[in-house]
Amino acid sequence: MRFIALFLTFLYTMSATAADTKVTLDRSWGLLIGDHITATVELPVAVSELDTHSLPSHDKRYGHWLFLHDSELSDRQMKLHFQLVNVPAENRQVATPEIQLRTQDGEFITVPSVPMQIGSFLEQQDTQGNLVPRGDINLKAQSDNFLQVRLWVALAVLLFATLIWLIWHFGLRPRQRLPFAEAMFELNKMRLLGRKDADKASRSLHHAFNRSAGRVVINSHLDKLWESCPWLMPMQKDIESFYQQSAAHFFSAKGGEQKDFYQILELAKNCRAQERVA
């Protein structure tokens, strides 16, 4: 009698332990070959009380459908990471494997199987020959925090690069430019900064003519400019007009009328175009 009582108590303990074991899947439908599934097992005892030799083996195929890659153990929970490695001829219901665990005291814990629906890559047809589409796959929500961080980093790099370019272009750019390229740079900077000073623009253009000719060019000796820069001959009429008005403005007692800023800018632009092809 004593032996029978102990045996019944043992069976009751086993059944109670198995009843307290719960298994849930992260997804149980819309599964196709290659999909990963995680089975979370809530154990009635702590993981430390289990016999390690009874734990499911990794890198092993279970049944026709599932392959166990690895597992995670923590407190009273075990996570089994399966992959679907076979495809049925048509959509069907299968189940995760039933696993027997053993505690260090010799008690057995049954991890029950859980049903799940898997689909086929093969064409499905109903009785009338119409194709039946497979069910949608329920994708896991992904965190976009990493993408947001990368976006902000990219924007910061863009702003920093733009700032460096502006400093370089308007202040630190090398001065080894051709004479009329330098004049255009100065005139454009004045225009962008709202300082459209015709006198200053005229002096910048005079400086470009002097650098191009290799000497100071005055109104009465423009022939020296044509000798040094024959590529400016197409602009001869406009350049002579510029020098005449400039001489009248800077050197006459009455101070003749100066060309306006945009006329000087246009002349510098045309000279720059000739300088490029010279």
Side-chain angles (χ1 to χ4, degrees), residues 13-52:
T13 304
M14 286 180 54
S15 63
T17 303
D20 292 338
T21 306
K22 297 179 181 179
V23 183
T24 56
L25 295 177
D26 58 345
R27 179 159 61 95
S28 61
W29 60 276
L31 295 168
L32 297 173
I33 186 170
D35 284 351
H36 290 265
I37 314 137
T38 299
T40 302
V41 182
E42 301 293 339
L43 298 168
V45 298
V47 171
S48 58
E49 298 180 27
L50 295 176
D51 183 353
T52 56

Side-chain angles (χ1 to χ4, degrees), residues 144-157:
D144 60 351
N145 293 335
F146 178 69
L147 293 177
Q148 289 182 358
V149 170
R150 293 186 64 180
L151 175 61
W152 285 113
V153 170
L155 290 176
V157 171

Side-chain angles (χ1 to χ4, degrees), residues 66-208:
L66 298 176
F67 182 90
L68 180 62
H69 284 284
D70 55 20
S71 60
E72 299 177 40
L73 303 175
S74 61
D75 195 21
R76 289 174 172 256
Q77 188 180 86
M78 177 173 60
K79 289 187 177 182
L80 304 175
H81 299 291
F82 292 103
Q83 184 176 19
L84 192 61
V85 292
N86 204 351
V87 58
E90 54 186 43
N91 299 345
R92 63 178 297 175
Q93 178 173 297
V94 297
T96 61
E98 183 178 287
I99 300 172
Q100 290 287 338
L101 302 176
R102 186 174 61 252
T103 67
Q104 295 178 1
D105 296 334
E107 296 180 357
F108 288 92
I109 301 175
T110 300
V111 178
S113 61
V114 179
M116 58 184 181
Q117 299 286 337
I118 60 175
S120 172
F121 277 130
L122 304 177
E123 292 184 352
Q124 302 294 312
Q125 295 183 347
D126 58 16
T127 55
Q128 298 178 354
N130 299 317
L131 291 178
V132 179
R134 293 187 297 270
D136 293 336
I137 298 176
N138 183 22
L139 298 178
K140 292 183 180 179
Q142 299 292 328
S143 173
D144 60 351
N145 293 335
F146 178 69
L147 293 177
Q148 289 182 358
V149 170
R150 293 186 64 180
L151 175 61
W152 285 113
V153 170
L155 290 176
V157 171
L158 175 63
L159 291 175
F160 181 74
T162 303
L163 179 62
I164 294 298
W165 179 84
L166 290 173
I167 294 174
W168 174 266
H169 189 73
F170 289 103
L172 301 179
R173 192 176 180 182
R175 299 297 178 177
Q176 285 79 21
R177 302 185 182 94
L178 294 174
F180 290 103
E182 178 66 24
M184 280 299 300
F185 175 78
E186 295 296 335
L187 267 62
N188 280 328
K189 185 164 66 172
M190 286 190 282
R191 180 167 60 91
L192 292 175
L193 297 177
R195 302 171 183 173
K196 302 171 186 176
D197 188 335
D199 287 351
K200 188 174 180 180
S202 179
R203 285 192 289 271
S204 294
L205 190 55
H206 273 291
H207 185 59

Side-chain angles (χ1 to χ4, degrees), residues 257-275:
E257 182 181 357
Q258 169 70 293
K259 287 182 176 293
D260 65 23
F261 178 85
Y262 286 102
Q263 288 177 321
I264 298 172
L265 178 64
E266 185 65 24
L267 178 58
K269 185 184 299 183
N270 292 334
C271 292
R272 169 58 175 156
Q274 295 298 322
E275 182 181 55

